[in-house]
Amino acid sequence: MNKLLLIILNCCLGSLFMGFCLGQMNVISTEVYNVYKIDDTFTKGLMQSLLTIGGGVGSISASILMGLFSRRKCLQITDVFGMMAIMIAFMDESKYLLLASRFFVGLVLGLNGVLVPVYINEMSPKEKAGILGTMNQLFITLGILTTFLMSSFSDASLPIPFYKLMLYLPMIPCIIRASALSTVFKYETPVYCAKHHLNQQLHKVVEMIYEEKAEKMYEQFQQSQKSTERSMTINQLLSSKYRSRLFIGISLASLQQLGGINGIMFYSSSIFDQVTGQAAKKVFYLNLIVGFIGVFTALLATVIIEQFGRKPILKYGTLWCCVSLLMLTFVMSNSIGNTSYGSYLIVICIFSYLFGFGFSLGPLLFIYLTEILPDLGVSASGLMNWMSGGLVAQMFPIIASYDISYCFGLFSIFNFVAYLIIQEKVIETKGLDKEAVDKCFENQKFDQIPYQEVYQEDRFR
C-alpha cells in the first residue's frame, strides 16, 4: 500500500502543475505585461481565455490519447507536452509566443484534468478510491498555494528575473513524474491490463496493490476482460445506458465552474484590494489564507469521503456554497458592504464559499465522474468544465462593471441548480465497481444506500 501511495502521489504531480499554472499569473501578470509589451485589454483577456480553451481541447483529447496509448504512456506524453509548452514562451520575448504557450499549457492542464483522476480511479482499490482520489484536488490547491508563497520572493535578488522563474518552475513536476514513470513506477493500471489482456503485467500490479488478496483480485480482473469494452463510441455514450450519467457529468462539470470558483480565484486580489483599500500586505495575507483553505479542505475531504460517501458531501457542500454566495450577494448589494463591518463580512463569505467548495464539488466531482462514466464521458465533462470556466473568466469583469453583486447572485443560482441535480439524479457509488454502478443506474427507483448494501451482500455471498 505504501508503494501504491507513492505511485498516486507521483501521478498527482500533474495536479501540482495544474495548480501552479492556474495561480502563477496572479503573481507575475504586471511584470509579464511589461516585458512582453501587452497593454491592451483584449490581449490581457486572451492570456486567461486561451488557457481555458486549451484546457477544453486537452480534456477531449485525453480520450483520444487513452485510446492510442496506455495510461502510463499518456501521462509521460502529457509531461513532454508540458515541458515543450513552457519552453515556447522563451524562444523569444514575443507576446504571440507567450499566447501560444498559454494555449498549449492549457492543453496540458486539460489532459491532466482527465488523466490523473482516471489513473487514480483505475489504480486504487475500491475501498480506498475516494481517499486517494482527493489527492488530485489536494495537489492542485498545493500548487496554487505555492504561487502565493512564491510572491514573497518577487523583490528578492535572484539569478534570473522573478517572472522567468515562475514560468519555468512548472517544468519540475513534469520532469520528475515522467522520469519516475520510466524507471521506478513502470506500472499500468489493472483496468487497462485487463482490457488489453496483459496478464503478466496484470498479475504484477495486482500483487503490488492488493498483496495477500492478489490472487482473488487477479481472478476478478481476468473475469472482467470478457465484459470490458476496449473503446467507447459517441453513439454508445449517448445510448440509454449512459445518457442519464452523461447528463450528470456534463451538467455538474459545467455548474462547478458556473458556480463561481474561478470567478473568485481569478479576481480574488481585485476583490480584496477593494475591501482593504488597496493595502498590499493585507491582500497578500488574504490570498495566502485562500490557499491554506484549499489545502485544509482537500485534507478534510480525505477524512470524510469514506465516512459519509459521495452524494451527501456533494449535496450539502453545494448547498453550503449557495448559502455563502447568497449572503455575499446581500452584503455587496447594499450599503453594508461599504462599511468596515461589511468588508469583514465580504471576506468571511468568500472564505465560507471556498470552504464549502473545497470539500465537495472541488475534490469529489471528478472522483464521482470516473466512477460512473467511461473515459469518453469523463473527457466530455472535462471539456464542458473548461469551457464554462472560460465563460466565467470572460463574463465576470463585464457583469461586475455594472454591479459585482449580480455575479454572486448568478453564482448562487447555479449552485442551487447543482444541488437539485445532485438531490434528484446522483446515486451513491461508495465502494461499488463498474458492474454495480451499472446496476444502480438501472434501478434508480430503489433507495440508494440500502440497495447498495443488498447488492454488495449478493455479490459476495
Side-chain angles (χ1 to χ4, degrees), residues 241-249 372-373 437-438 441:
K241 179 178 180 180
Y242 291 107
R243 198 176 297 140
S244 64
R245 285 181 260 185
L246 183 62
F247 168 77
I248 292 171
I372 68 172
L373 286 169
V437 169
D438 289 343
F441 274 97

Side-chain angles (χ1 to χ4, degrees), residues 71 122 190-197 225 228-230 375:
R71 304 300 195 239
E122 293 187 359
V191 174
Y192 177 83
C193 292
K195 282 182 179 180
H196 294 82
H197 306 280
Q225 290 176 352
T228 303
E229 298 172 351
R230 281 182 173 269
D375 298 343

